[in-house]
């Protein structure tokens, strides 16, 4: 059975994870963090020592990795990797392996399977364009690169990571470029998506705004 789907896409650091999690909570929907699946895939590739430029090799590792996502915890072959996938190294590797169509394909059924179980709020780069093109509501969250890098930098520093703002900004721009220019499922504003720019908004304001859009559309 296909349940209701709300998609929230946007670039790294746009605030979409916080927004998607809260909107899912408020609606009583499951929150599907598709980036976490790409991150788990990257961790699997890293641990296997596979060549990240080889799409077939990466996809093979990903298919065998036993990636799972339940109650906000990410697992790989039964091992909890929720924290391990959040490192700076895995952020970068996840966007490198996400360029391979074979890797995207290996994660597609897994992403779609969540909608068979319950209504969801899916968040990522292509959830409205590729994974759930027939979603009930599509949102695209944006913010300037500088603001997004400031947010990421603050988050990393609060976790005790020693990294400069400039490095975070450069890595983020590099990742944006890769995510937006890859030939398969690039980051795009999906058709019929409502665009919300969060650069000058507080998170609470964004959540209220997005919730209103979602509730109005779902009520239609
Ligand atoms: O949202 P995130 O930063 O956790 O995502 C990590 C990487 O995974 C991101 O740089 C690109 C990739 N990704 C993707 O290609 N498609 C998605 N739907 C989600 C993430």
């Amino acid at each position: 059975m296909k349940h209701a789907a709300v998609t929230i896409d946007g670039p790294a650091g746009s605030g979409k994870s916080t927004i998607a999690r809260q909107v899912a909570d408020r609606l009583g929907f499951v929150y599907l963090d598709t980036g976490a699946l790409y991150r788990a895939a990257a961790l699997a590739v890293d641990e296997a020592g596979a060549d990240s430029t080889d799409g077939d090799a990466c996809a093979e590792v990903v298919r065998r990795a036993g990636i799972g996502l339940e109650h906000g915890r990410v697992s790989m072959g039964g091992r909890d990797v929720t924290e391990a996938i959040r490192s700076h190294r895995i952020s970068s590797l996840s966007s490198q392996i996400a360029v391979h169509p074979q890797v995207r394909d290996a994660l597609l059924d897994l992403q779609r399977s969540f909608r068979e179980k319950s209504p969801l709020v899916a968040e990522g780069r292509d959830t409205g364009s590729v994974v759930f093109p027939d979603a009930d509501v599509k949102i695209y969250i944006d913010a300037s690169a500088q603001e997004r890098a400031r947010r990421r930098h603050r988050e990393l520093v609060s976790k005790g990571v020693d990294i400069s703002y400039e490095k975070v900004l450069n890595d983020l721009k590099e990742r944006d470029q890769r995510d937006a220019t890859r030939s398969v499922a690039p980051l795009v504003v999906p058709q019929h998506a409502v665009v919300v720019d969060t650069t000058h908004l507080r998170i609470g304001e964004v959540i209220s705004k997005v919730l209103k859009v979602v509730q109005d559309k779902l009520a239609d």
Side-chain angles (χ1 to χ4, degrees):
M1 170 177 178
K2 249 190 197 177
H3 291 277
V6 175
T7 61
I8 301 189
D9 291 300
S14 55
K16 62 188 189 308
S17 306
T18 312
I19 297 159
R21 194 176 292 118
Q22 297 238 10
V23 169
D25 261 11
R26 297 281 288 272
L27 296 171
F29 286 12
V30 157
Y31 163 53
L32 173 59
D33 176 1
T34 63
L37 303 178
Y38 280 91
R39 286 168 177 274
L43 184 65
V45 166
D46 201 29
E47 288 185 353
D51 176 0
S52 64
T53 64
D54 182 338
D56 287 326
C58 290
E60 185 59 27
V61 170
V62 172
R63 283 210 173 82
R64 289 163 185 261
I67 296 168
L69 176 63
E70 210 172 347
H71 306 303
R73 306 301 298 180
V74 185
S75 60
M76 228 168 68
R79 174 165 56 105
D80 193 307
V81 294
T82 312
E83 274 81 38
I85 60 169
R86 295 291 155 194
S87 72
H88 198 63
R89 174 185 173 82
I90 295 300
S91 293
S92 171
L93 188 60
S94 58
S95 107
Q96 289 172 44
I97 63 155
V99 303
H100 302 306
Q102 303 95 316
V103 168
R104 306 200 70 83
D105 197 47
L107 291 174
L108 196 56
D109 286 347
L110 175 61
Q111 295 174 78
R112 287 185 175 153
S113 70
F114 287 88
R115 192 182 182 184
E116 282 155 28
K117 290 176 252 168
S118 74
L120 54 78
V121 176
E123 174 247 309
R125 303 292 190 289
D126 64 342
T127 62
S129 55
V130 174
V131 186
F132 303 113
D134 60 341
D136 302 83
V137 192
K138 298 180 186 182
I139 308 279
Y140 185 89
I141 305 284
D142 210 353
S144 71
Q146 287 72 15
E147 177 59 23
R148 291 186 287 119
R150 254 193 300 279
R151 293 174 188 167
R152 260 293 141 90
H153 183 242
R154 213 181 303 139
E155 187 188 327
L156 288 168
V157 168
S158 77
K159 286 183 186 157
V161 179
D162 181 18
I163 189 165
S164 69
Y165 164 77
E166 285 70 27
K167 166 126 180 76
V168 173
L169 179 62
N170 280 338
D171 288 357
L172 187 126
K173 283 185 172 166
E174 225 174 74
R175 198 140 76 94
D176 276 0
Q177 170 78 1
R178 240 187 336 251
D179 292 348
T181 57
R182 65 177 174 233
S183 56
V184 180
L187 173 66
V188 288
V189 179
Q191 245 191 335
H192 309 303
V194 175
V195 179
V196 179
D197 190 316
T198 70
T199 309
H200 303 292
L201 295 178
R202 274 197 293 267
I203 197 75
E205 297 173 299
V206 182
I207 290 163
S208 308
K209 198 167 171 166
V210 172
L211 252 178
K212 170 116 185 49
V213 171
V214 172
Q215 283 166 333
D216 286 354
K217 291 223 177 206
L218 286 178
D220 272 354

